[in-house]
Amino acid sequence: MVLFAHQDEHEATTALEVAGTGNITKVITRYDDLLRAMIQVVTGARRQLVVTGSRSREPGYLRAIEDTLSCFPDLVHYRVLYGPPRHRALADHLLRLMEIRSPAERRNGVKTLQVGLVESRSVLERHFVASESAAVIPLPSFHGRDGFDCGVMLGPEAASGLVQHGREACAAARPLESITDVRRLPVGAGPDLGEA
């Protein structure tokens, strides 16, 4: 029986599986720390920034994204919405992004702003922010039923996996290519379930 024992064991197939929870650099248990970590990911992005979710509304976080895109013109930004924006602040943010950069423009042969809308209600909404060097995934609160004030911060290997996940999700979504496309979106549909 020892001869075939290896068949019963799960072998790690990727570096991420080998590292396991070693990819978690920090567990976050307070809202202020979660927001600070998300902003840290945004301001540290230089090559790629992926943000997913339709519930963002924190002004400092949204402004950090806008400022970072303004400062680093080669940074490629993917925004994946799962349904229309739940808050006016996010819809306004999307308009400002398109004022900073047109999704039709290319820099060095690459579109540097890609906004996609996942319209299928059967697709679960994902919440995360990821760059080439770090990522934050908000989690339901450890403190009570209604909060989203906790999360995990991930290192570069896991972050690169989430960047790829976001790029693929954006490519599969309906592209929003203009200010007009954003203005046509309904705002405020759905329950409030936190940030991303």
Side-chain angles (χ1 to χ4, degrees):
M1 294 301 151
V2 174
L3 183 61
F4 299 104
H6 70 282
Q7 293 177 345
D8 296 330
E9 294 177 16
H10 172 73
E11 292 183 28
T13 57
T14 67
L16 282 175
E17 284 185 295
V18 171
T21 56
N23 285 299
I24 299 173
T25 62
K26 185 178 187 181
V27 175
I28 303 162
T29 59
R30 291 175 7 129
Y31 179 75
D32 289 345
D33 294 336
L34 178 64
L35 184 58
R36 195 172 7 265
M38 292 168 66
I39 290 172
Q40 179 182 338
V41 170
V42 169
T43 59
R46 295 298 177 269
R47 294 191 307 262
Q48 298 182 71
L49 176 63
V50 175
V51 180
T52 66
S54 294
R55 301 167 194 280
S56 299
R57 67 175 179 264
E58 178 59 46
Y61 171 60
L62 298 175
R63 191 170 37 256
I65 295 169
E66 295 159 17
D67 292 347
T68 300
L69 290 186
S70 293
C71 290
F72 300 99
D74 290 336
L75 176 65
V76 179
H77 180 41
Y78 301 88
R79 179 70 193 215
V80 183
L81 301 168
Y82 289 88
R86 303 302 198 270
H87 304 283
R88 172 55 50 199
L90 178 56
D92 292 343
H93 166 72
L94 295 172
L95 293 172
R96 286 191 299 273
L97 289 181
M98 292 192 179
E99 290 169 356
I100 293 168
R101 298 183 182 178
S102 168
E105 290 178 17
R106 294 181 179 271
R107 187 166 173 89
N108 303 319
V110 176
K111 289 176 73 170
T112 60
L113 177 62
Q114 298 183 46
V115 181
L117 175 66
V118 177
E119 296 177 293
S120 173
R121 292 182 180 200
S122 66
V123 176
L124 294 176
E125 186 169 2
R126 286 121 171 117
H127 302 279
F128 65 83
V129 55
S131 74
E132 68 277 359
S133 58
V136 172
I137 303 172
L139 298 172
S141 178
F142 301 157
H143 311 291
R145 178 179 71 92
D146 292 329
F148 270 76
D149 53 4
C150 298
V152 291
M153 187 163 208
L154 305 173
E157 282 187 337
S160 68
L162 285 175
V163 166
Q164 185 60 32
H165 175 105
R167 290 175 61 185
E168 291 175 10
C170 197
R174 178 171 66 91
L176 301 178
E177 299 283 355
S178 67
I179 287 174
T180 302
D181 288 347
V182 174
R183 286 191 172 135
R184 287 184 178 145
L185 295 173
V187 177
D192 176 31
L193 295 175
E195 287 280 326

